[in-house]
Amino acid sequence: MSGISLCGVSLAGPVLNGSGTFDVIAARRAFGDGLLERFPFHAYVSKTITLEPRRGNPPPRLWETPAGMINSIGLPNKGLEGFLAEDPPRIAEVPVPLVVSVMGFSRDELATLVEAVGAREEVALIELNVSCPNVETGLIMGADPGETARAVERLRPFTEKPLIVKLTPNATDPSAVAGAAEDAGADAVSLVNTLKGMALHPRTGEPWLGGRTGGVSGPAIRAIALEQVAAVSAAVRIPVVGMGGIASGHDAADFLAAGAAAIAVGTESFIDPAAGRRIAAELAAIERVDAPVEANSVR
Ligand SMILES: Cc1cc2nc3c(=O)[nH]c(=O)nc-3n(C[C@H](O)[C@H](O)[C@H](O)COP(=O)(O)O)c2cc1C
């Protein structure tokens, strides 16, 4: 697998994990140091951290759908201070660059998070999860180009580390949001986050998930994600990290062909924690086979 440069950071290949779908500290407890020797991803993305600690949503938090799942985890995390005190040295033992995902409920919160996380030498890139309401305006930051631009402009001076803005698919025009992020100083965009969804309790007809609604992920959303990645890739000059239902090397190759510079594996890691490694190997084999053959050959 040939290496890539993502916003100036060298990666041994293009396969990342989707934020929140691979807990490296828990995985190391389960699989031991072998995990580090055969690490499944070429960069590691932390789960999203917020300024204050969060307990997350009440259970149940997961519902399996045909070809995917709905999660209503609600971003439980130790908050910025708890994260900085405990996690970066442990996470930094992974043999790949570290991306830390942050979410703020106001532009000031985002600036605080980005400044503190960016100051840590273990951190190579920062991902902004903008799938949350801005308490100042009530708007979902990443659903609106103006909101996204104001958020990125506000925090851009607080770090020189590359900023990836993670787009929500629950926007009228993700390309317009991506363009606004680029104009405001984002170094890359990633997409898609989960699509809003719901499941009902089979007997009561009430919402099954403790958070009532949740985010749909997995192969069920792949075609939607692929279209959004293609549209956004055509609209911006900065690199695009594509994700949404990637479960095989062929899926990954599709996202790269649609314009992504790198891809991320999320839900598939719940089925197989080594999925990232398998997908990278399958992708490398496709590249080897495809390169010398005529353009209309079957993959
Ligand atoms: C259980 C679960 C937790 C997630 N947590 C986060 C998170 O903390 N931050 C974030 O930006 N995205 C989070 N996501 C979204 C994924 O990173 C990814 O964008 C999405 O699931 C689509 O990719 P997939 O279909 O391969 O899972 C989460 C997804 C799942 C399934």
Side-chain angles (χ1 to χ4, degrees):
M1 166 95 11
S2 43
I4 67 160
S5 168
L6 183 61
C7 311
V9 177
S10 297
L11 311 188
V15 181
L16 287 64
N17 63 295
S19 170
T21 63
F22 193 93
D23 181 338
V24 77
I25 295 172
R28 196 167 171 195
R29 260 198 311 271
F31 302 111
D33 287 347
L35 176 79
L36 303 185
E37 283 148 34
R38 295 170 59 78
F39 197 67
F41 308 106
H42 300 123
Y44 177 69
V45 186
S46 78
K47 71 178 163 196
T48 299
I49 60 161
T50 51
L51 189 58
E52 302 298 336
R54 286 170 62 90
R55 297 168 67 95
N57 289 332
R61 290 174 163 182
L62 290 178
W63 174 270
E64 194 170 331
T65 68
M69 65 180 178
I70 314 178
N71 86 80
S72 143
I73 309 283
L75 303 175
N77 75 98
K78 294 182 273 199
L80 178 65
E81 268 182 39
F83 172 81
L84 290 179
E86 293 169 26
D87 287 9
R90 286 199 282 171
I91 299 180
E93 287 177 22
V94 299
V96 297
L98 170 61
V99 185
V100 172
S101 167
V102 298
M103 174 191 271
F105 294 92
S106 69
R107 292 191 281 274
D108 283 349
E109 266 191 36
L110 269 177
T112 306
L113 283 157
V114 162
E115 184 171 33
V117 166
R120 295 296 292 242
E121 58 175 353
E122 299 96 334
V123 179
L125 302 106
I126 300 172
E127 185 171 78
L128 303 178
N129 178 350
V130 288
S131 304
C132 65
N134 179 345
V135 291
E136 295 147 330
T137 63
L139 294 169
I140 299 290
M141 283 191 190
D144 180 76
E147 279 282 326
T148 303
R150 284 187 289 278
V152 175
E153 275 161 12
R154 173 80 174 84
L155 57 87
R156 185 65 275 193
F158 288 86
T159 185
E160 287 176 4
K161 298 259 165 86
L163 288 171
I164 306 172
V165 174
K166 181 159 180 185
L167 305 173
T168 169
N170 306 309
T172 312
D173 185 356
S175 297
V177 179
E182 176 178 43
D183 292 344
D187 298 289
V189 289
S190 56
L191 72 156
V192 296
N193 211 319
T194 53
L195 281 108
K196 206 166 177 185
M198 190 180 203
L200 300 183
H201 192 292
R203 282 198 309 279
T204 65
E206 288 297 310
W208 168 266
L209 295 164
R212 296 185 74 81
T213 63
V216 186
S217 65
I221 70 167
R222 190 189 306 135
I224 299 163
L226 186 63
E227 188 280 331
Q228 294 203 2
V229 166
V232 166
S233 299
V236 296
R237 290 172 304 279
I238 51 179
V240 173
V241 181
M243 74 194 90
I246 294 177
S248 71
H250 284 307
D251 300 336
D254 282 351
F255 278 72
L256 295 175
I263 61 100
V265 176
T267 299
E268 190 65 13
S269 295
F270 288 83
I271 299 168
D272 170 13
R277 209 177 154 78
R278 169 180 58 78
I279 289 168
E282 291 171 356
L283 180 63
I286 291 167
E287 284 173 351
R288 278 200 299 273
V289 171
D290 274 357
V293 186
E294 301 97 75
N296 64 353
S297 67
V298 177
R299 270 210 316 255

